[in-house]
Amino acid sequence: MSYGGCAVKLKQLHYFMALAEHINYKEAAHVLGVSQGLLNQQITALEEQLGTALFVRDGKGYRLTQSGYQLRIHASELFGMMTESIGSIN
């Protein structure tokens, strides 16, 4: 998928959504069945492609930035539409 002149992969959005839900790299990586290192690489690549930070580390862990919050809303809508579309085919 091209967004703002960059190629964002659905897998990256899937990883982003898991981290946004769990706000913990260890938990999100476990749910996804990937290493924390791979998850971190994909989130970093996504942030670089979009040109903005999606998460910020605070004293209690991580939280979404405003950009991350907006991406979560739109990615959730996108995955919902994909699920609905696939369901309508079956």
Side-chain angles (χ1 to χ4, degrees), residues 15 18-19 22-32 34-44 47 54-57 61-62:
Y15 288 177
L19 184 55
H22 295 280
I23 305 293
N24 179 294
Y25 273 87
K26 184 177 180 179
E27 289 177 21
H30 177 74
V31 168
L32 292 166
V34 300
S35 70
Q36 291 180 52
L38 177 61
L39 177 58
N40 185 52
Q41 287 174 346
Q42 292 298 309
I43 296 300
T44 299
E47 289 177 326
L54 301 171
F55 297 92
V56 65
R57 185 158 177 77
Y62 291 90

Side-chain angles (χ1 to χ4, degrees), residues 53-90:
L54 301 171
F55 297 92
V56 65
R57 185 158 177 77
D58 62 21
K60 298 176 183 175
Y62 291 90
R63 63 179 173 81
L64 287 168
T65 63
Q66 185 62 32
S67 295
Y69 178 76
Q70 290 298 317
L71 182 59
R72 183 179 186 180
I73 291 169
H74 294 296
S76 180
E77 291 172 357
L78 173 67
F79 283 119
M81 287 187 288
M82 288 175 53
T83 301
E84 190 175 308
S85 296
I86 291 168
S88 70
I89 295 169
N90 297 328

